Short mmCIF file of all heavy atoms in Angstrom, two decimals:
data_model
loop_
_atom_site.label_atom_id
_atom_site.label_comp_id
_atom_site.label_asym_id
_atom_site.label_seq_id
_atom_site.Cartn_x
_atom_site.Cartn_y
_atom_site.Cartn_z
N ARG A 225 -2.06 -4.48 -8.71
CA ARG A 225 -2.94 -5.65 -8.57
C ARG A 225 -4.10 -5.29 -7.69
O ARG A 225 -4.15 -4.40 -7.00
CB ARG A 225 -2.13 -6.91 -8.04
CG ARG A 225 -1.49 -6.64 -6.65
CD ARG A 225 -0.79 -7.87 -6.22
NE ARG A 225 -0.16 -7.69 -4.94
CZ ARG A 225 0.43 -8.71 -4.24
NH1 ARG A 225 0.46 -9.92 -4.62
NH2 ARG A 225 0.96 -8.36 -3.06
N TYR A 226 -5.18 -6.20 -7.88
CA TYR A 226 -6.34 -6.15 -7.04
C TYR A 226 -6.18 -7.20 -5.93
O TYR A 226 -5.77 -8.37 -6.30
CB TYR A 226 -7.54 -6.44 -7.81
CG TYR A 226 -7.81 -5.53 -8.94
CD1 TYR A 226 -8.40 -6.12 -10.13
CD2 TYR A 226 -7.49 -4.19 -8.97
CE1 TYR A 226 -8.59 -5.27 -11.27
CE2 TYR A 226 -7.73 -3.38 -10.15
CZ TYR A 226 -8.27 -3.91 -11.21
OH TYR A 226 -8.61 -3.16 -12.33
N LEU A 227 -6.55 -6.92 -4.69
CA LEU A 227 -6.54 -7.87 -3.57
C LEU A 227 -7.94 -7.89 -2.94
O LEU A 227 -8.37 -6.94 -2.37
CB LEU A 227 -5.44 -7.50 -2.60
CG LEU A 227 -4.11 -7.30 -3.10
CD1 LEU A 227 -3.18 -6.77 -2.03
CD2 LEU A 227 -3.52 -8.61 -3.66
N GLY A 228 -8.67 -9.04 -3.11
CA GLY A 228 -9.94 -9.15 -2.48
C GLY A 228 -9.74 -9.97 -1.15
O GLY A 228 -9.03 -10.92 -1.04
N TYR A 229 -10.49 -9.50 -0.12
CA TYR A 229 -10.39 -10.17 1.20
C TYR A 229 -11.79 -10.24 1.82
O TYR A 229 -12.58 -9.32 1.73
CB TYR A 229 -9.41 -9.41 2.11
CG TYR A 229 -9.76 -7.96 2.28
CD1 TYR A 229 -10.58 -7.62 3.42
CD2 TYR A 229 -9.42 -6.94 1.42
CE1 TYR A 229 -10.98 -6.27 3.54
CE2 TYR A 229 -9.73 -5.68 1.62
CZ TYR A 229 -10.50 -5.36 2.73
OH TYR A 229 -10.89 -4.04 2.84
N ARG A 230 -12.00 -11.26 2.63
CA ARG A 230 -13.18 -11.42 3.51
C ARG A 230 -12.83 -12.18 4.68
O ARG A 230 -12.53 -13.35 4.63
CB ARG A 230 -14.33 -12.05 2.74
CG ARG A 230 -15.59 -11.90 3.53
CD ARG A 230 -16.80 -12.31 2.64
NE ARG A 230 -18.09 -11.81 3.28
CZ ARG A 230 -19.26 -11.94 2.73
NH1 ARG A 230 -19.42 -12.58 1.53
NH2 ARG A 230 -20.36 -11.52 3.31
N TYR A 231 -12.71 -11.54 5.84
CA TYR A 231 -12.40 -12.08 7.15
C TYR A 231 -13.75 -12.29 7.93
O TYR A 231 -14.45 -11.25 8.01
CB TYR A 231 -11.46 -11.23 7.93
CG TYR A 231 -10.05 -11.15 7.43
CD1 TYR A 231 -9.71 -10.09 6.62
CD2 TYR A 231 -9.09 -12.12 7.69
CE1 TYR A 231 -8.43 -9.94 6.11
CE2 TYR A 231 -7.78 -12.00 7.24
CZ TYR A 231 -7.50 -10.93 6.41
OH TYR A 231 -6.17 -10.77 5.96
N LEU A 232 -14.07 -13.43 8.38
CA LEU A 232 -15.33 -13.64 9.15
C LEU A 232 -15.05 -14.31 10.39
O LEU A 232 -14.22 -15.30 10.45
CB LEU A 232 -16.25 -14.47 8.32
CG LEU A 232 -16.74 -13.82 6.97
CD1 LEU A 232 -17.58 -14.85 6.21
CD2 LEU A 232 -17.62 -12.57 7.26
N GLY A 233 -15.60 -13.82 11.56
CA GLY A 233 -15.58 -14.51 12.74
C GLY A 233 -14.41 -14.36 13.65
O GLY A 233 -14.16 -15.05 14.60
N PHE A 234 -13.49 -13.29 13.38
CA PHE A 234 -12.34 -13.02 14.17
C PHE A 234 -12.66 -12.15 15.32
O PHE A 234 -13.61 -11.44 15.33
CB PHE A 234 -11.25 -12.38 13.24
CG PHE A 234 -10.58 -13.35 12.28
CD1 PHE A 234 -11.20 -13.61 11.06
CD2 PHE A 234 -9.44 -13.99 12.61
CE1 PHE A 234 -10.59 -14.43 10.20
CE2 PHE A 234 -8.90 -14.96 11.78
CZ PHE A 234 -9.44 -15.13 10.51
N PRO A 235 -11.85 -12.14 16.38
CA PRO A 235 -12.14 -11.24 17.52
C PRO A 235 -12.04 -9.74 17.03
O PRO A 235 -11.18 -9.50 16.23
CB PRO A 235 -11.01 -11.65 18.51
CG PRO A 235 -10.55 -13.00 18.10
CD PRO A 235 -10.70 -13.03 16.60
N PRO A 236 -12.85 -8.89 17.55
CA PRO A 236 -12.67 -7.44 17.24
C PRO A 236 -11.30 -6.96 17.72
O PRO A 236 -10.69 -7.54 18.62
CB PRO A 236 -13.78 -6.81 18.01
CG PRO A 236 -14.81 -7.88 18.37
CD PRO A 236 -13.94 -9.15 18.47
N GLY A 237 -10.78 -5.95 16.99
CA GLY A 237 -9.53 -5.45 17.36
C GLY A 237 -9.04 -4.32 16.51
O GLY A 237 -9.85 -3.66 15.84
#
Side-chain angles (χ1 to χ4, degrees):
R225 59 179 178 171
Y226 305 143
L227 306 174
Y229 59 90
R230 192 168 195 176
Y231 294 96
L232 296 173
F234 287 86

